[in-house]
């Protein structure tokens, strides 16, 4: 049984990054860094997921 496992809703993470880029006018890498801190996921995992979805 996994007690500390959290499921990540990637749609929320991607939408958060897109909002930072569009509304806050952040650079994509800066937005990824902020999402990494907010959601507790490494930047490389976020970049990989964005590439998989064709968003990066």
């Amino acid at each position: 049984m996994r007690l500390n496992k959290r499921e990540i809703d990637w749609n929320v993470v991607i939408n958060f990054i897109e909002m930072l880029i569009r509304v806050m006018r952040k650079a994509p890498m800066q937005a990824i860094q902020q999402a990494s801190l907010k959601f507790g996921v490494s930047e490389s995992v976020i970049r990989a997921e964005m590439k998989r979805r064709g968003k990066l």
Side-chain angles (χ1 to χ4, degrees):
M1 183 161 95
R2 296 179 185 178
L3 297 175
N4 294 329
K5 186 172 186 288
R6 270 194 319 175
E7 290 295 319
I8 300 288
D9 184 354
W10 285 108
N11 293 325
V12 172
V13 176
I14 302 299
N15 287 339
F16 179 75
I17 291 169
E18 289 176 340
M19 182 271 305
L20 288 175
I21 293 169
R22 287 188 190 132
V23 177
M24 306 296 286
R25 298 181 186 246
K26 300 277 184 186
M29 290 304 131
Q30 189 178 17
I32 289 172
Q33 182 182 29
Q34 279 192 289
S36 171
L37 294 172
K38 175 121 178 113
F39 295 104
V41 181
S42 72
E43 293 178 38
S44 61
V45 173
I46 293 174
R47 279 195 298 275
E49 182 65 23
M50 290 185 74
K51 284 181 185 176
R52 188 182 75 77
R53 292 176 179 236
K55 300 281 186 178
L56 187 63

